[in-house]
Amino acid sequence: MPEITIRDAISQGLKEALDNDERVFIMGEDVGYYGGAYAVTKGFVQEYGERRIMDTPISESVFVGAGVGAAMAGLRPVVEIMTINFSLLAMDQIVNHAAKIHYMSGGQLKAPVIIRTVTGGGAGLAATHSQSLEGWYATVPGLKVITPATPYDALGLLRTAFKDENPIIYAEHDLLYRTRGEVPEEYYEVPFGQARIAREGTDITIVANSGMVRVAEDAAKKLEARGVSAEVIDLRTLRPLDIDTIAKSVHKTNRCIVVEETWRFGGFGSFIASEIQEIAFDDLDAPVARVGCADVPAPYSKPLEDLQIPNGDTIIREIERVIGL
Amino acid sequence: MTLKEKLNQQQVTEYYRMMLLIRRFEDRAAQAYMMGKVRGFLHLYSGEEAIAVGVMSVLKPQDYVVTHYRDHGHALARGIDPKAAMAELFGKATGTSKGKGGSMHLFDASINFMGGYAIVGGQFPLATGFALASAYKGTDQVTVCFFGDGALNEGEFHEAMNLASVWKLPVLFLLENNLYGMGTRVDRTYAGGHDVYKASEHYAMEAGVVDGMDVLAVRDSVTDAVDYIRQGNGPFLLEAKTYRFQGHSMADPGEYRDKEEEAEWLTKDPISNMRRQMLEEDLLSEKEIQALESEVDQVLDEAVRFADESPFPEPEALFENVYVE
């Protein structure tokens, strides 16, 4: 099986859609001749032309809304927002419009737009460029929120996104673009709402998504040397959210910790913790624990940023506490 | 300008009938609101009817119409069923959105009436999206985007005007300048002066201004603007000067407008003026006009009865149409 990067996997998924469906086009800031801020659409405008690869003004609200409108008018737009931090400028179009059209029109209209954006911190970009806000969008009924952590999932989930008729936030982690992984040559899809067991274990369940999956896996490896067997669950999609897979895992491990690259206050981990405690209370030997970012804006300086975002050590310390090592 | 010069008897009858239908629909809606049958916000279009009727008289069935929350007039003039519209106001299962949208969110996808939107300026990006879809597909559809003077200072106005002009999108931006954004007069909030259409200069966009109290004038100006757009010249900004005869919403005590100003605008009532003109020009007799008026009343009797007698949505409806399955 060929090994490719997440960046290549997303590019491949986009090209497939452009090749197979005339209704698909891509627009966003510098997606054309610049090649995309993260080079996902490099070479696209040369291959598909300006009609299908559109450089937009730096006007997040109007180009996201134009994507929503074009979707309502029967097309399948892919809108790229350079980072999820900039999506706040388009939040009205995403939350008040894209997410509501189908319901508010009594099912008459739909807005199958894919909003690709970049999430995550760790790149020294400070407070306004380092947030992981996908959890906010996941709180809104009407949206679907996709957060791939591997090349296999990046492609498989994107294929599913193109078949879905709903507005989708597809959040790519800035530090994962070069992550390599095996991707089969034969066609496959990854369904929404089906978490992946990234690593099997018996002593504790670590739930994570996006960039935190790799961090959780590293922590699990270190713990293995100390005789602790951790199961790592990659959520893949925040909405729909696969609580069943977590509950099944907790039934086996009796302990659960949720890791998210954002603030704990109101984070999606709080919802998962509450659900697991309701569904699987009798299975739990300890309260569901949570690890998140320090409750401050992201700092610029590296030593400070390293303290703000959860890492393997933070996770291990919390697991030691939960298990009582 | 006489009516006869421009319109045949059927058109005169049609326009008068529709303006009256809108005015009296609003009267019925206000009555129902006072009786507690309509809840939430209710914004009446009374006084501005000539704009909606003049615009719709020019459009083709395949054109897109999108508007703000003062949307009953646009919906009715576009051809929405008065029964379904009234039922929507009553929150009934037979409403245009099955009771999920209400007064501010009327939709009828079957006539490309793409909705009333209640976030001021929120419809601008969507309008560029409908127009983008038409351009992308190569159709000659035009999108009409209604907005009020209150929306002028939203960033989405600037973003949409710019994008539409840069991409030469087939949109008619139709400003209904009724002089007040809720209770605040436009010259206290907009730095560009009274002739707002001049804002188009900054976007290298063609523009015009029209007496929004005269259906014939609106029809003429919109005909020119739509021809210009359909020929592929890009967007157009048309400012219609108008006035609302009621408060901003039913909750508005109306203490901020000068009584003399109100009285002066009432003399410009597009409906009573057209009625007088029809009689003067012998287009319709008093008897024929009265027959028309009682026919309108019958339609509205029927609409109110339908709304009254229709069932409320079943509890299951709560969870329907959140997502496209």
Side-chain angles (χ1 to χ4, degrees):
Chain A
M1 238 187 298
E3 223 182 53
I4 63 171
T5 63
I6 286 196
R7 177 184 286 116
D8 293 338
I10 298 167
S11 292
Q12 185 185 328
L14 294 172
K15 283 188 176 182
E16 279 177 12
L18 286 162
D19 289 337
N20 297 332
D21 189 345
E22 180 63 22
R23 299 170 305 163
V24 173
F25 66 91
I26 296 175
M27 66 175 159
E29 291 149 356
D30 282 315
V31 297
Y33 293 104
Y34 187 96
Y38 290 85
V40 172
T41 54
K42 197 168 164 54
F44 278 39
V45 72
Q46 288 80 5
E47 190 172 345
Y48 296 97
E50 290 182 6
R51 175 169 172 266
R52 302 188 72 194
I53 311 297
M54 306 176 195
D55 281 320
T56 65
I58 303 174
S59 300
E60 286 81 5
S61 186
V62 77
F63 72 72
V64 170
V68 176
M72 290 165 68
L75 298 179
R76 297 297 309 240
V78 178
V79 175
E80 177 177 319
I81 305 179
M82 201 179 284
T83 88
I84 203 162
N85 306 281
F86 309 164
S87 77
L88 302 191
L89 291 154
M91 206 159 185
D92 172 52
Q93 290 302 311
I94 299 170
V95 176
N96 278 326
H97 295 86
K100 310 288 195 278
I101 291 294
H102 189 60
Y103 194 78
M104 217 162 57
S105 68
Q108 294 186 64
L109 293 164
K110 57 187 179 186
V113 59
I114 298 175
I115 299 171
R116 281 185 49 237
T117 189
V118 181
T119 191
L125 301 175
T128 62
H129 278 61
S130 303
Q131 301 167 102
S132 297
L133 302 175
E134 58 271 19
W136 285 8
Y137 291 110
T139 66
V140 180
L143 298 178
K144 293 190 178 181
V145 178
I146 315 305
T147 58
T150 65
Y152 181 92
D153 285 352
L155 179 57
L157 290 166
L158 189 53
R159 285 173 173 157
T160 302
F162 276 108
K163 290 193 171 168
D164 200 282
E165 298 283 320
N166 297 286
I168 289 166
I169 307 286
Y170 183 95
E172 305 159 13
H173 197 285
D174 64 340
L175 299 185
L176 291 186
Y177 279 119
R178 283 187 226 162
T179 299
R180 302 185 78 84
E182 288 186 339
V183 172
E185 281 175 42
E186 57 274 20
Y187 186 85
Y188 68 94
E189 290 171 14
V190 175
F192 292 169
Q194 211 173 89
R196 173 178 72 100
I197 311 284
R199 180 192 176 91
E200 289 197 29
T202 51
D203 298 332
I204 187 163
T205 301
I206 310 176
V207 180
N209 80 316
S210 190
M212 286 295 115
V213 174
R214 191 176 60 179
V215 176
E217 284 175 309
D218 289 347
K221 263 181 224 153
K222 284 186 187 162
L223 284 167
E224 194 175 31
R226 296 167 60 185
V228 176
S229 164
E231 179 144 302
V232 176
I233 294 180
D234 171 4
L235 291 169
R236 285 177 163 161
T237 64
L238 294 186
R239 193 188 262 264
L241 184 66
D242 181 5
I243 286 290
D244 287 351
T245 294
I246 306 172
K248 275 187 198 129
S249 174
V250 170
H251 185 66
K252 178 174 68 175
T253 63
N254 308 121
R255 292 178 184 89
C256 183
I257 176 168
V258 188
V259 184
E260 54 193 318
E261 194 183 327
T262 188
W263 306 292
R264 282 160 40 99
F265 196 137
F268 64 82
S270 58
F271 180 72
I272 292 173
S274 122
E275 290 286 288
I276 291 302
Q277 272 154 182
E278 277 181 32
I279 297 167
F281 187 76
D282 292 337
D283 288 332
L284 287 168
D285 287 347
V288 177
R290 295 181 58 209
V291 170
C293 288
D295 202 22
V296 298
Y300 164 69
S301 178
K302 183 150 182 16
L304 293 180
E305 190 183 42
D306 287 347
L307 287 173
Q308 203 241 346
I309 300 174
N311 56 35
D313 292 341
T314 342
I315 296 171
I316 289 168
R317 272 201 303 278
E318 191 60 13
I319 289 175
E320 285 168 347
R321 191 187 65 76
V322 171
I323 296 184
L325 289 176
Chain B
M1 187 162 42
T2 64
L3 294 172
K4 266 183 185 167
E5 282 174 56
K6 292 273 187 179
L7 304 175
N8 61 37
Q9 194 178 36
Q10 192 200 329
Q11 288 169 318
V12 171
T13 311
E14 218 174 276
Y15 301 166
Y16 180 73
R17 183 188 167 280
M18 185 50 77
M19 289 201 293
L20 193 71
L21 179 78
I22 295 170
R23 178 74 55 90
R24 294 194 175 174
F25 182 96
E26 300 297 54
D27 293 343
R28 301 291 183 108
Q31 282 167 16
Y33 187 90
M34 302 303 273
M35 292 163 74
K37 292 183 177 182
V38 176
R39 59 203 301 265
F41 289 140
L42 180 66
H43 308 88
L44 305 178
Y45 193 64
S46 309
E48 307 185 26
E49 298 89 347
I51 305 173
V53 174
V55 170
M56 302 309 169
S57 75
V58 176
L59 299 187
K60 293 182 177 175
Q62 66 269 27
D63 292 332
Y64 289 113
V65 176
V66 61
T67 185
H68 45 75
Y69 50 80
R70 195 180 304 285
D71 60 352
H72 307 167
H74 309 117
L76 290 165
R78 183 60 174 164
I80 210 166
D81 176 5
K83 293 206 298 273
M86 191 64 82
E88 186 62 29
L89 267 58
F90 279 52
K92 298 299 182 73
T94 53
T96 43
S97 293
K98 304 179 203 163
K100 286 179 178 166
S103 160
M104 302 192 288
H105 309 111
L106 297 177
F107 292 85
D108 191 342
S110 72
I111 50 174
N112 280 355
F113 183 73
M114 304 302 274
Y117 292 86
I119 304 294
V120 173
Q123 73 275 29
F124 286 122
L126 299 177
T128 62
F130 306 144
L132 175 62
S134 305
Y136 186 87
K137 294 177 197 167
T139 70
D140 74 343
Q141 292 162 290
V142 167
T143 294
V144 178
C145 176
F146 289 94
F147 66 104
D149 47 281
L152 286 168
N153 303 312
E154 291 285 3
E156 286 170 325
F157 171 66
H158 164 66
E159 290 191 21
M161 290 283 284
N162 181 62
L163 189 78
S165 190
V166 164
W167 285 358
K168 295 249 174 292
L169 297 177
V171 198
L172 173 59
F173 292 105
L174 206 141
L175 165 59
E176 298 178 312
N177 186 353
N178 66 21
L179 299 177
Y180 292 84
M182 201 160 150
T184 305
R185 203 179 152 89
V186 63
D187 53 14
R188 295 179 59 214
T189 56
Y190 182 69
H194 278 290
D195 289 324
V196 177
Y197 69 95
K198 290 179 181 163
S200 65
E201 290 170 16
H202 305 293
Y203 306 99
M205 193 186 296
E206 286 298 314
V209 60
V210 65
D211 175 5
M213 307 305 274
D214 179 348
V215 68
L216 203 52
V218 173
R219 185 190 145 91
D220 280 354
S221 293
V222 173
T223 300
D224 293 345
V226 166
D227 283 350
Y228 169 88
I229 297 166
R230 240 189 263 287
Q231 282 160 20
N233 294 309
F236 194 100
L237 170 66
L238 183 63
E239 175 181 6
K241 306 273 193 192
T242 187
Y243 204 73
R244 56 173 154 71
F245 290 175
Q246 306 281 342
H248 166 73
S249 73
M250 293 297 287
D252 179 2
E255 285 163 0
Y256 49 87
R257 293 199 305 203
D258 183 67
K259 297 300 156 207
E260 275 176 37
E261 179 187 276
E262 287 185 356
E264 191 198 322
W265 278 94
L266 278 172
T267 66
K268 299 176 185 171
D269 183 346
I271 298 176
S272 59
N273 284 342
M274 188 172 185
R275 191 184 201 281
R276 184 175 38 74
Q277 228 180 331
M278 288 190 305
L279 287 170
E280 279 170 11
E281 293 183 33
D282 254 346
L283 275 160
L284 287 180
S285 69
E286 176 66 33
K287 207 174 152 192
E288 284 168 325
I289 293 175
Q290 282 176 9
L292 201 64
E293 290 167 347
S294 76
E295 187 231 306
V296 163
D297 285 335
Q298 277 169 27
V299 168
L300 292 170
D301 286 345
E302 177 59 25
V304 171
R305 188 165 49 241
F306 175 80
D308 240 340
E309 290 171 359
S310 287
F312 280 108
E314 295 295 327
E316 304 87 78
L318 180 64
F319 295 101
E320 288 168 2
N321 302 134
V322 178
Y323 289 98
V324 185
E325 297 303 334

